[in-house]
Amino acid sequence: MDEGFIPYQQSLEDEEQSIKSTQSVIEQAIAWFRAHSMFVLAYGTGCGAIEMPPTFTSRYDIERLGVVGVATPRQADILIVSGYCSPKTLKRVIRSYEQMSEPKYIIGLGSCTINGGMYWDSYNTIKKLDDFLPVDMYVNGCMPRPEALIEGFVKLQEKIRANSSEAGYIQYRTRYAHYRANQERLFGTQVQPRYEENFAGMNL
Amino acid sequence: MMSYLEEHYELIHKTPRLFALHVTREQLLDTLHQITTHTSFDTLSQLTCTDWIEEERFELGYMLTNALRSHNLMLKCSIARDKVTMPSLALLFAQAEVMERELHEMFGIGFEGNETLYDFALEGWCDIPPMRREFDTLAYVNAHYDFREGREDNLDVKEEIKKRKAAAKSAKETPSGA
């Protein structure tokens, strides 16, 4: 009896007890709302995009966890990098990620984002996504089934509710020089505008 | 439609539905024009390239298809590997433009009259074209990408499977022996 809504609800309540000790009531409420309204940018880079329609539609119905697809990065909280990523695609992915408003999270879906997968010796795919962007959750497999993706979302919910300072978007601000150096090394002269101009006036 | 081809060209029967004929670079446009006018092979469905590095040549394959999609005709054209350009077919077949653009990027073949020979899938590529056989893929990957280190318990998969099989076998044999 570990499936269905009631045990899921039970698990949420159990976690609430552990989180309560470190967060104020307001923080807990905000984190709870965040974790239960994850808007995913409707964007697929590789073959993993094939697994997303069944995840979102009636059979697996991830909307019961508050996960909805949105059409523009400005409204999105979560970017799923779904599979292999060529340098040309990565430029678009970075652009999309930088346009998203914070807090924002990245899920790396499939082996290709982790270590290149079956494209480990390809001249046109990147091997480590977290060199270029801060990844919050990896879902491995080739391809991961929708159940695996849902598991990834559940783990990400836990992470969001813990409201850690290790979250990817904070990493991307504080360690921007590291990510930028890797991007410049890969793209050469065709690099994006600098992201840090977006948060120049912010008190970090 | 076959009678015209057999009358005018040295047709090679590859399979009942696939025919081939060899043309030179100079004959190509004229031959294509004649074939599309006089036979039902009227669509260019594929443009392929094979790198025969030992013989110092590329072999281009222009695959023509009829409207029923029942028969295919391949025009084979050999060109030297270094800096030889082909006439573009963009005026005869609109779809040839994007096929030629891909071959230009992957093999470095020029096509006279094609205006779109700029970056396609590879942006800012400054190495030799990657589908040429002298291109060393692994060396390029090692120079441009970082690999993730293996896990700490990085075990040899074949050895582990052997060990597990042996363990399962001995576990099976022990109760029967006792």
Side-chain angles (χ1 to χ4, degrees):
Chain A
M1 177 69 186
D2 50 3
E3 281 184 13
F5 181 72
I6 294 167
Y8 169 66
Q9 187 68 23
Q10 192 64 46
S11 71
L12 291 184
E13 287 164 7
D14 291 346
E15 282 159 28
E16 263 169 30
Q17 294 301 323
S18 61
I19 295 168
K20 258 177 194 164
S21 55
T22 55
Q23 293 178 346
S24 73
V25 178
I26 302 291
E27 279 174 343
Q28 279 175 42
I30 290 173
W32 191 90
F33 288 131
R34 264 182 199 161
H36 290 79
S37 64
M38 296 191 280
F39 284 19
V40 178
L41 181 60
Y43 178 75
T45 65
C47 39
I50 298 295
E51 295 293 332
M52 280 155 69
T55 315
F56 281 93
T57 47
S58 59
R59 176 153 187 195
Y60 294 98
D61 190 21
I62 202 170
E63 201 168 330
R64 67 206 148 99
L65 301 183
V67 178
V68 189
V70 290
T72 153
R74 294 287 186 201
Q75 297 170 342
D77 303 312
I78 298 196
L79 174 65
I80 300 182
V81 181
S82 52
Y84 60 81
C85 206
S86 68
K88 182 172 178 175
T89 317
L90 185 64
K91 279 177 209 162
R92 277 76 180 167
V93 171
I94 291 171
R95 269 281 168 115
S96 306
Y97 179 72
E98 290 178 354
Q99 285 178 44
M100 286 161 63
S101 48
E102 293 179 358
K104 51 190 175 183
Y105 303 89
I106 294 186
I107 294 183
L109 183 66
S111 301
C112 298
T113 53
I114 299 172
N115 59 7
M118 64 184 281
Y119 300 101
W120 67 274
D121 64 347
S122 163
Y123 55 85
N124 200 27
T125 55
I126 56 159
K127 316 302 168 201
K128 277 164 74 183
L129 181 61
D130 50 327
D131 273 355
F132 308 100
L133 286 171
V135 180
D136 290 280
M137 191 61 63
Y138 274 123
V139 181
N140 73 345
C142 182
M143 278 313 299
R145 299 263 311 148
E147 293 95 324
L149 182 55
I150 292 171
E151 181 71 17
F153 272 113
V154 171
K155 291 285 174 199
L156 185 63
Q157 276 187 336
E158 287 171 16
K159 205 171 166 182
I160 293 172
R161 294 187 65 205
N163 204 5
S164 145
S165 61
E166 298 294 302
Y169 67 96
I170 299 174
Q171 293 282 317
Y172 198 61
R173 276 194 260 148
T174 51
R175 297 179 61 221
Y176 182 68
H178 163 76
Y179 293 113
R180 178 71 185 187
N182 284 328
Q183 290 166 11
E184 277 176 1
R185 200 160 57 85
L186 182 66
F187 299 144
T189 53
Q190 301 190 336
V191 283
Q192 320 282 328
R194 293 185 77 86
Y195 175 66
E196 59 195 0
E197 285 162 13
N198 295 345
F199 49 84
M202 290 165 69
N203 186 19
L204 299 177
Chain B
M1 91 189 154
M2 298 329 296
S3 58
Y4 174 84
L5 285 172
E6 280 175 351
E7 220 171 90
H8 291 82
Y9 304 102
E10 283 184 29
L11 204 61
I12 306 162
H13 292 255
K14 290 260 184 190
T15 70
R17 302 172 119 207
L18 176 64
F19 312 97
L21 61 95
H22 290 276
V23 291
T24 63
R25 179 180 174 279
E26 287 71 28
Q27 291 168 341
L28 178 74
L29 276 183
D30 190 38
T31 313
L32 272 171
H33 187 70
Q34 293 295 333
I35 288 175
T36 47
T37 317
H38 292 101
T39 72
S40 59
F41 288 116
D42 53 3
T43 306
L44 182 74
S45 64
Q46 277 181 51
L47 175 50
T48 63
C49 179
T50 319
D51 187 355
W52 296 98
I53 193 168
E54 297 85 358
E55 300 164 23
E56 285 293 311
R57 66 185 175 93
F58 284 132
E59 191 172 77
L60 295 177
Y62 293 83
M63 184 74 92
L64 298 174
T65 311
N66 61 358
L68 292 173
R69 303 284 184 268
S70 59
H71 291 77
N72 294 308
L73 171 68
M74 182 178 250
L75 270 69
K76 292 184 173 188
C77 178
S78 286
I79 54 171
R81 284 180 97 249
D82 41 333
K83 291 184 183 168
V84 172
T85 57
M86 290 293 291
S88 171
L89 303 188
L91 290 178
L92 265 161
F93 307 104
Q95 69 269 36
E97 199 170 63
V98 74
M99 298 174 182
E100 288 168 357
R101 190 174 167 191
E102 187 183 9
L103 284 198
H104 173 259
E105 186 164 86
M106 291 296 163
F107 291 93
I109 304 167
F111 288 92
E112 289 163 20
N114 191 330
E115 303 289 317
T116 62
L117 300 181
Y118 46 85
D119 283 358
F120 189 27
L122 311 171
E123 278 184 347
W125 185 266
C126 41
D127 215 305
I128 54 174
M131 286 288 151
R132 292 176 82 109
R133 276 172 61 197
E134 74 259 30
F135 176 72
D136 188 344
T137 309
L138 204 54
Y140 180 86
V141 171
N142 284 326
H144 288 80
Y145 299 103
D146 292 334
F147 288 101
R148 190 182 296 281
E149 286 171 19
R151 285 197 315 221
E152 283 166 20
D153 64 337
N154 190 7
L155 304 169
D156 189 324
V157 178
K158 282 182 183 170
E159 288 296 316
E160 285 303 303
I161 290 172
K162 266 184 198 170
K163 272 185 201 169
R164 281 183 198 177
K165 276 185 179 170
K169 208 179 176 185
S170 65
K172 235 182 192 179
E173 281 168 1
T174 322
S176 67

